[in-house]
Amino acid sequence: MKKILVIGGGFAGLASSVFLSSKNFKITLLESSPKLGGRAFSILNKNQNSFYDNGQHILMGCYEETLEFLSLINSINQLEIPSALSINFVRRGGELIPLKASPKFYPFNLLKAILTFKGLRTKSRIKIIDFFLDLLCCYSCDLKNKNVLDWLKEKRQTEEAIKFFWEILVVGALNTTIEKASAQIFAETLKRIFFSGNMSSTILVAKGSLNELYIEPAVRFLIEKGSEIILSEKVKKFECIGNRITKVVTEKNIYNDFEFVLSALPIYALDRILKNSNIENYQLPDLKYSPILNVHLWLKMNPFKERFYGLMDSLVHWVFNRDDHISITISSAEELFKYSDKKILDLIYSDLEIFFPIFKSSLVKDFKIIKEKRATFIPNVDSIYEREKLNLPLDNLLSAGDWTNIFLPATIESAVLSAKNVSEKF
């Protein structure tokens, strides 16, 4: 039985451990913090006796590897899975504009959903349809050096379509602006969402917390498989003989009983270890990062009826109804990070009252603000070239993480896909 030491207990680390242990590898998982989950975890609000996620991490029907992972750990029943695309957009004043497809006759149901979407004028809808039809024949190599805005203008998308459709998609899926986002990465994302079957464009929402969705079930799975999970133990360096790691040195222990080491760490954390180990000739991508701001509001009375809403032309991008609280997500939130919590709340309350006449700030009885400064890397044109440079000159060191998939943005699916790819090397 091969023994593998996995470093990092986020989505990539847990998924790698699960996939590998399902193949009867002996796994030891090291996590530097006292909790698992990485950038996707749950926190207990003791005042409200309520769990809230550090951010609303969206899953989609096209997340094939993530759904396989959740099936393997027997937690897929923790997801609300709609039968077809259904998003409730909201305009100022509270007008609800659904983008909804029939569960039958894919892909014509998606075309009809766009053609009947009342959030845009007819000309804009037709231009969007033309864009998707053209995408079917689009070769990614033609897009490698373009940003999304240039691509949209080249395809004669209207200003209205760009502002009220494409910008929402780009910010939501790539956590950056259309001026920065790589057209090639966006094209790959669109193909996965809209051209991979009827369920691919659906948004899946967890019924409970992220702990219940994947952390606790993954831990149970790994323990049943005889794997070992060690928390609060930070890796300091590797000791090598030739091109092989022979020892992994932590702040507390030295590990040498393994055949392979799998890093499921962010780039900066792996870089620190390699530098401390005096490893030469390695190359890691130099990526820039984009923040996400999440605000959780507990209300005296919850007037929201839908599971989630997309706001059109608002500071707030998404509102998720978690029953005992609502979660507000603002992507690419660099400017807001400069503000005090009070000003952030004032701005959010103002927009919520404009878009939802049912909401009043006086309803709020508690709040939590989560600032993820390095929530995702920016999937710009440079990121493609940077990720192509990845080189780890150690024969028994593998890597997983959302940053390793060259033509995908930083999502749960790209993290789990990287884990699946590693497991298939054995």
Side-chain angles (χ1 to χ4, degrees):
M1 178 183 289
K2 284 189 173 68
K3 296 181 179 180
I4 300 177
L5 187 68
V6 177
I7 307 172
F11 249 109
L14 283 171
S16 297
S17 299
V18 165
F19 286 136
L20 289 165
S21 63
S22 70
K23 294 184 173 183
N24 296 318
F25 293 112
K26 174 69 174 178
I27 303 298
T28 298
L29 173 62
L30 298 178
E31 167 56 45
S32 62
S33 76
K35 61 171 180 58
L36 295 168
R39 287 168 288 155
F41 59 93
S42 302
I43 310 162
L44 175 64
N45 180 342
K46 294 181 180 179
N47 293 333
Q48 304 300 325
N49 192 29
S50 169
F51 277 98
Y52 62 100
D53 297 334
N54 69 315
Q56 182 62 52
H57 299 273
I58 294 176
L59 281 75
M60 299 200 69
C62 59
Y63 284 15
E64 294 181 3
E65 307 304 337
T66 304
L67 294 177
E68 180 184 343
F69 166 57
L70 296 178
S71 295
L72 197 56
I73 60 177
N74 197 30
S75 71
I76 200 164
N77 61 342
Q78 290 292 321
L79 288 176
E80 294 180 3
I81 303 178
S83 58
L85 170 67
S86 180
I87 303 174
N88 288 298
F89 287 101
V90 185
R91 274 187 177 147
R92 294 169 182 265
E95 181 186 1
L96 202 65
I97 308 170
L99 176 61
K100 190 169 185 178
S102 162
K104 296 181 179 179
F105 307 115
Y106 170 84
F108 302 104
N109 58 340
L110 298 181
L111 296 177
K112 183 179 178 182
I114 294 172
L115 285 172
T116 57
F117 179 54
K118 301 303 183 183
L120 300 170
R121 291 192 295 266
T122 303
K123 179 181 178 181
S124 296
R125 289 179 243 160
I126 292 172
K127 286 293 185 182
I128 290 170
I129 294 295
D130 285 344
F131 183 94
F132 277 116
L133 293 175
D134 185 68
L135 181 60
L136 284 169
C137 305
C138 174
Y139 294 99
S140 294
C141 57
D142 299 331
L143 301 174
K144 191 168 184 178
N145 296 306
K146 292 180 184 175
N147 65 40
V148 171
L149 180 59
D150 289 343
W151 185 29
L152 294 174
K153 287 183 175 179
E154 180 183 298
K155 296 303 178 184
R156 300 183 182 279
Q157 295 298 292
T158 67
E159 291 298 321
E160 180 192 45
I162 291 172
K163 184 173 184 179
F164 294 113
F165 186 81
W166 295 116
E167 280 190 6
I168 293 172
L169 276 180
V170 170
V171 171
L174 277 62
N175 188 32
T176 191
T177 64
I178 56 175
E179 293 87 358
K180 294 179 182 177
S182 156
Q184 185 169 13
I185 293 174
F186 188 49
E188 181 60 32
T189 303
L190 290 176
K191 288 175 182 178
R192 286 171 177 260
I193 293 173
F194 294 102
F195 300 153
S196 301
N198 194 44
M199 290 298 297
S200 296
S201 59
T202 58
I203 293 179
L204 316 180
V205 177
K207 296 175 183 178
S209 68
L210 288 170
N211 285 349
E212 296 169 299
L213 176 65
Y214 86 103
I215 297 174
E216 293 169 358
V219 168
R220 286 195 296 269
F221 182 93
L222 292 171
I223 290 173
E224 288 172 3
K225 290 288 186 180
S227 297
E228 186 178 14
I229 300 171
I230 302 171
L231 303 179
S232 301
E233 192 155 342
K234 187 176 183 178
V235 173
K236 293 174 60 180
K237 65 177 182 177
F238 303 142
E239 292 186 4
C240 304
I241 296 177
N243 290 330
R244 291 188 65 83
I245 301 171
T246 56
K247 295 179 182 178
V248 172
V249 181
T250 74
E251 294 174 329
K252 300 176 181 179
N253 294 293
I254 296 175
Y255 296 86
N256 57 16
D257 187 17
F258 57 81
E259 293 174 72
F260 290 89
V261 175
L262 170 57
S263 167
L265 296 170
I267 296 170
Y268 53 85
L270 177 57
D271 187 45
R272 172 186 52 79
I273 294 171
L274 294 173
K275 283 180 178 175
N276 290 342
S277 308
N278 296 317
I279 305 298
E280 297 180 351
N281 301 320
Y282 73 88
Q283 283 189 296
L284 294 174
D286 180 15
L287 302 179
K288 308 302 179 186
Y289 289 85
S290 183
I292 294 178
L293 179 71
N294 289 280
V295 178
H296 306 273
L297 303 177
W298 282 263
L299 309 176
K300 298 171 186 174
M301 181 274 296
N302 186 351
F304 294 90
K305 304 301 181 186
E306 303 296 336
R307 181 53 74 189
F308 59 91
Y309 306 84
L311 278 60
M312 302 178 73
D313 194 24
S314 169
L315 168 74
V316 172
H317 295 130
W318 298 93
V319 174
F320 290 86
N321 180 3
R322 308 300 298 171
D323 296 327
D324 68 340
H325 68 281
I326 61 171
S327 295
I328 291 102
T329 298
I330 304 175
S331 300
S332 193
E334 288 89 349
E335 288 301 312
L336 289 178
F337 275 50
K338 302 173 184 177
Y339 299 153
S340 67
D341 286 357
K342 183 182 183 305
K343 184 168 183 180
I344 289 171
L345 287 174
D346 287 344
L347 290 169
I348 288 174
Y349 291 165
S350 175
D351 260 27
L352 289 180
E353 289 175 349
I354 290 170
F355 281 81
F356 299 98
I358 56 174
F359 174 85
K360 303 297 179 187
S361 61
S362 57
L363 287 173
V364 178
K365 61 180 181 178
D366 200 0
F367 69 89
K368 297 292 181 182
I369 297 176
I370 304 291
K371 298 177 179 179
E372 290 283 352
K373 291 184 178 180
R374 290 193 282 195
T376 66
F377 65 83
I378 298 174
N380 54 17
V381 171
D382 289 344
S383 74
I384 297 175
Y385 292 98
E386 284 295 325
R387 286 189 279 174
E388 287 176 340
K389 296 177 182 177
L390 175 62
N391 178 43
L392 300 174
L394 296 169
D395 296 340
N396 61 339
L397 175 61
L398 305 167
S399 64
D402 57 19
W403 55 273
T404 63
N405 297 296
I406 292 173
F407 298 120
L408 290 179
T411 62
I412 289 172
E413 175 69 359
S414 55
V416 179
L417 176 60
S418 72
K420 184 66 177 299
N421 289 341
V422 167
S423 72
E424 290 179 343
K425 292 180 179 180
F426 292 94

mmCIF file of all heavy atoms in Angstrom, residues 66 75 81 86 122 138 151 225 235 239 286 310 357 378 382 388 402 407:
data_model
loop_
_atom_site.group_PDB
_atom_site.id
_atom_site.type_symbol
_atom_site.label_atom_id
_atom_site.label_comp_id
_atom_site.label_asym_id
_atom_site.label_seq_id
_atom_site.Cartn_x
_atom_site.Cartn_y
_atom_site.Cartn_z
ATOM 1 N N THR A 66 -16.719 17.715 -8.609
ATOM 2 C CA THR A 66 -17.189 18.038 -7.263
ATOM 3 C C THR A 66 -18.365 17.157 -6.876
ATOM 4 O O THR A 66 -18.443 16.658 -5.742
ATOM 5 C CB THR A 66 -17.587 19.521 -7.173
ATOM 6 O OG1 THR A 66 -16.483 20.336 -7.568
ATOM 7 C CG2 THR A 66 -17.998 19.894 -5.762
ATOM 8 N N SER A 75 -22.594 12.776 0.607
ATOM 9 C CA SER A 75 -23.204 14.021 1.085
ATOM 10 C C SER A 75 -23.915 14.798 -0.009
ATOM 11 O O SER A 75 -24.299 15.951 0.205
ATOM 12 C CB SER A 75 -22.140 14.917 1.734
ATOM 13 O OG SER A 75 -21.256 15.444 0.762
ATOM 14 N N ILE A 81 -30.870 20.666 -5.657
ATOM 15 C CA ILE A 81 -30.536 20.543 -7.074
ATOM 16 C C ILE A 81 -31.770 20.837 -7.915
ATOM 17 O O ILE A 81 -32.708 20.039 -7.952
ATOM 18 C CB ILE A 81 -29.995 19.125 -7.390
ATOM 19 C CG1 ILE A 81 -28.770 18.835 -6.509
ATOM 20 C CG2 ILE A 81 -29.631 19.006 -8.870
ATOM 21 C CD1 ILE A 81 -28.188 17.452 -6.693
ATOM 22 N N SER A 86 -32.343 28.443 -13.288
ATOM 23 C CA SER A 86 -33.342 29.320 -12.678
ATOM 24 C C SER A 86 -32.633 30.326 -11.773
ATOM 25 O O SER A 86 -32.079 29.963 -10.744
ATOM 26 C CB SER A 86 -34.351 28.503 -11.864
ATOM 27 O OG SER A 86 -35.317 29.359 -11.282
ATOM 28 N N THR A 122 -34.837 43.428 -26.685
ATOM 29 C CA THR A 122 -34.775 42.341 -27.666
ATOM 30 C C THR A 122 -33.448 42.313 -28.415
ATOM 31 O O THR A 122 -32.862 41.244 -28.624
ATOM 32 C CB THR A 122 -35.933 42.467 -28.683
ATOM 33 O OG1 THR A 122 -37.172 42.464 -27.967
ATOM 34 C CG2 THR A 122 -35.917 41.321 -29.672
ATOM 35 N N CYS A 138 -15.853 28.565 -31.639
ATOM 36 C CA CYS A 138 -14.698 29.375 -31.250
ATOM 37 C C CYS A 138 -13.548 28.493 -30.815
ATOM 38 O O CYS A 138 -13.721 27.579 -30.018
ATOM 39 C CB CYS A 138 -15.098 30.306 -30.107
ATOM 40 S SG CYS A 138 -13.729 31.238 -29.423
ATOM 41 N N TRP A 151 -13.206 41.078 -26.303
ATOM 42 C CA TRP A 151 -13.899 39.996 -26.999
ATOM 43 C C TRP A 151 -15.376 40.339 -27.191
ATOM 44 O O TRP A 151 -15.928 40.164 -28.279
ATOM 45 C CB TRP A 151 -13.745 38.711 -26.197
ATOM 46 C CG TRP A 151 -14.302 37.476 -26.841
ATOM 47 C CD1 TRP A 151 -14.422 37.219 -28.175
ATOM 48 C CD2 TRP A 151 -14.808 36.315 -26.171
ATOM 49 N NE1 TRP A 151 -14.958 35.968 -28.383
ATOM 50 C CE2 TRP A 151 -15.197 35.401 -27.167
ATOM 51 C CE3 TRP A 151 -14.937 35.975 -24.828
ATOM 52 C CZ2 TRP A 151 -15.741 34.150 -26.832
ATOM 53 C CZ3 TRP A 151 -15.457 34.739 -24.506
ATOM 54 C CH2 TRP A 151 -15.853 33.839 -25.506
ATOM 55 N N LYS A 225 -11.454 4.851 6.213
ATOM 56 C CA LYS A 225 -10.443 4.254 5.335
ATOM 57 C C LYS A 225 -9.089 4.089 6.037
ATOM 58 O O LYS A 225 -8.120 3.652 5.414
ATOM 59 C CB LYS A 225 -10.270 5.103 4.073
ATOM 60 C CG LYS A 225 -11.458 5.065 3.128
ATOM 61 C CD LYS A 225 -11.549 3.727 2.416
ATOM 62 C CE LYS A 225 -12.650 3.721 1.357
ATOM 63 N NZ LYS A 225 -12.727 2.422 0.660
ATOM 64 N N VAL A 235 3.874 22.782 8.180
ATOM 65 C CA VAL A 235 5.089 22.255 7.554
ATOM 66 C C VAL A 235 6.099 23.392 7.388
ATOM 67 O O VAL A 235 5.771 24.462 6.873
ATOM 68 C CB VAL A 235 4.772 21.608 6.198
ATOM 69 C CG1 VAL A 235 6.060 21.209 5.476
ATOM 70 C CG2 VAL A 235 3.869 20.390 6.382
ATOM 71 N N GLU A 239 13.291 17.834 3.616
ATOM 72 C CA GLU A 239 14.680 17.391 3.517
ATOM 73 C C GLU A 239 14.753 16.381 2.386
ATOM 74 O O GLU A 239 13.892 15.495 2.283
ATOM 75 C CB GLU A 239 15.149 16.780 4.834
ATOM 76 C CG GLU A 239 15.267 17.806 5.947
ATOM 77 C CD GLU A 239 15.875 17.236 7.218
ATOM 78 O OE1 GLU A 239 16.281 16.034 7.205
ATOM 79 O OE2 GLU A 239 15.962 17.981 8.210
ATOM 80 N N ASP A 286 3.377 33.412 -10.650
ATOM 81 C CA ASP A 286 3.276 34.680 -9.926
ATOM 82 C C ASP A 286 1.912 35.269 -10.260
ATOM 83 O O ASP A 286 1.732 35.932 -11.278
ATOM 84 C CB ASP A 286 4.395 35.625 -10.369
ATOM 85 C CG ASP A 286 4.340 36.969 -9.641
ATOM 86 O OD1 ASP A 286 3.629 37.061 -8.626
ATOM 87 O OD2 ASP A 286 4.987 37.926 -10.109
ATOM 88 N N GLY A 310 -29.903 37.657 -7.842
ATOM 89 C CA GLY A 310 -28.825 38.404 -8.477
ATOM 90 C C GLY A 310 -29.280 39.834 -8.686
ATOM 91 O O GLY A 310 -30.354 40.062 -9.247
ATOM 92 N N PRO A 357 -37.798 46.555 -1.336
ATOM 93 C CA PRO A 357 -38.621 47.378 -0.441
ATOM 94 C C PRO A 357 -39.063 46.627 0.817
ATOM 95 O O PRO A 357 -39.412 47.255 1.826
ATOM 96 C CB PRO A 357 -39.831 47.734 -1.313
ATOM 97 C CG PRO A 357 -39.300 47.676 -2.719
ATOM 98 C CD PRO A 357 -38.303 46.557 -2.714
ATOM 99 N N ILE A 378 -6.576 36.279 -9.835
ATOM 100 C CA ILE A 378 -7.232 36.968 -10.949
ATOM 101 C C ILE A 378 -6.947 36.194 -12.237
ATOM 102 O O ILE A 378 -5.789 36.073 -12.656
ATOM 103 C CB ILE A 378 -6.729 38.416 -11.084
ATOM 104 C CG1 ILE A 378 -7.071 39.204 -9.809
ATOM 105 C CG2 ILE A 378 -7.340 39.091 -12.305
ATOM 106 C CD1 ILE A 378 -6.486 40.603 -9.783
ATOM 107 N N ASP A 382 -2.280 37.154 -18.213
ATOM 108 C CA ASP A 382 -0.971 36.802 -17.638
ATOM 109 C C ASP A 382 -1.029 35.504 -16.840
ATOM 110 O O ASP A 382 -0.048 34.761 -16.783
ATOM 111 C CB ASP A 382 -0.466 37.931 -16.739
ATOM 112 C CG ASP A 382 -0.047 39.162 -17.524
ATOM 113 O OD1 ASP A 382 0.148 39.043 -18.754
ATOM 114 O OD2 ASP A 382 0.080 40.248 -16.905
ATOM 115 N N GLU A 388 1.539 28.147 -16.795
ATOM 116 C CA GLU A 388 2.277 27.231 -17.667
ATOM 117 C C GLU A 388 3.717 27.034 -17.192
ATOM 118 O O GLU A 388 4.378 26.075 -17.577
ATOM 119 C CB GLU A 388 2.272 27.764 -19.102
ATOM 120 C CG GLU A 388 0.923 27.625 -19.803
ATOM 121 C CD GLU A 388 0.928 28.249 -21.182
ATOM 122 O OE1 GLU A 388 1.803 29.107 -21.452
ATOM 123 O OE2 GLU A 388 0.047 27.909 -21.995
ATOM 124 N N ASP A 402 -6.696 24.990 -6.963
ATOM 125 C CA ASP A 402 -7.431 25.642 -8.048
ATOM 126 C C ASP A 402 -6.519 26.386 -9.013
ATOM 127 O O ASP A 402 -6.874 26.624 -10.168
ATOM 128 C CB ASP A 402 -8.513 26.576 -7.493
ATOM 129 C CG ASP A 402 -7.964 27.638 -6.545
ATOM 130 O OD1 ASP A 402 -6.747 27.917 -6.568
ATOM 131 O OD2 ASP A 402 -8.763 28.191 -5.771
ATOM 132 N N PHE A 407 -6.530 26.689 -17.712
ATOM 133 C CA PHE A 407 -7.588 27.417 -18.415
ATOM 134 C C PHE A 407 -8.890 27.507 -17.625
ATOM 135 O O PHE A 407 -9.950 27.730 -18.202
ATOM 136 C CB PHE A 407 -7.835 26.782 -19.784
ATOM 137 C CG PHE A 407 -6.630 26.843 -20.690
ATOM 138 C CD1 PHE A 407 -6.047 25.693 -21.186
ATOM 139 C CD2 PHE A 407 -6.067 28.059 -21.017
ATOM 140 C CE1 PHE A 407 -4.925 25.738 -22.006
ATOM 141 C CE2 PHE A 407 -4.943 28.127 -21.837
ATOM 142 C CZ PHE A 407 -4.368 26.964 -22.333
#
